[in-house]
Amino acid sequence: MISIYDLTDSVLATIGLPFYYGMPVFSKDNPEPPAYLVYDDYETPVYLGDGTYPRKKYTITVNKFSETVDANMDRKIESAFMRSGYIYLGGGKVGDKDSFPYKNQNYKEFSIIMEV
């Protein structure tokens, strides 16, 4: 059975931007790319009447950091996740180039239910 991390990584690999699980630490040896994705997750059990949960609902938050606003990239992210069975929950703007980390930051949230 594929893990939520393997599934999410496979979707993000199709988008064409570097991606990370959790916020990376950039340095001289690991410079910050001009645009990149960072994702985090949380899970909720999907209970049956007997108290067991054979499935979990995973919610994935994808943050896009970029020098410019790119609506086409936003649509590409949505499409890639939806083609892979995720449901788009929404998104929004978090920050702009005037505040740390001095990039435009937008987020998108997706969910999927998987067997445990």
Side-chain angles (χ1 to χ4, degrees), residues 66-68 93 95-105:
S66 61
E67 302 278 332
T68 60
K93 179 180 176 181
D96 57 31
K97 291 172 48 171
D98 295 330
S99 59
F100 183 81
Y102 306 109
K103 301 244 188 231
N104 291 299
Q105 181 182 355

Side-chain angles (χ1 to χ4, degrees), residues 4-10 12 19-24 37-41 59-65 81 86 108:
I4 187 62
Y5 306 107
D6 291 339
L7 180 59
T8 303
D9 286 354
S10 70
L12 291 172
F19 63 90
Y20 309 91
Y21 178 75
M23 191 65 182
L37 304 171
V38 174
Y39 79 94
D40 289 295
D41 67 298
T59 301
I60 304 296
T61 303
V62 178
N63 285 278
K64 180 188 73 173
F65 296 87
F81 275 89
Y86 289 81
K108 301 232 173 253

Side-chain angles (χ1 to χ4, degrees), residues 48-114:
L48 297 178
D50 64 0
T52 62
Y53 58 93
R55 295 177 288 159
K56 289 182 181 178
K57 176 183 174 186
Y58 294 93
T59 301
I60 304 296
T61 303
V62 178
N63 285 278
K64 180 188 73 173
F65 296 87
S66 61
E67 302 278 332
T68 60
V69 176
D70 186 349
N72 289 329
M73 181 57 71
D74 292 340
R75 284 190 290 279
K76 186 175 183 178
I77 293 167
E78 287 176 31
S79 295
F81 275 89
M82 291 170 45
R83 277 192 312 271
S84 296
Y86 289 81
I87 296 170
Y88 177 55
L89 301 176
K93 179 180 176 181
V94 177
D96 57 31
K97 291 172 48 171
D98 295 330
S99 59
F100 183 81
Y102 306 109
K103 301 244 188 231
N104 291 299
Q105 181 182 355
N106 295 66
Y107 76 93
K108 301 232 173 253
E109 287 194 322
F110 305 92
S111 71
I112 192 167
I113 295 176
M114 297 175 65

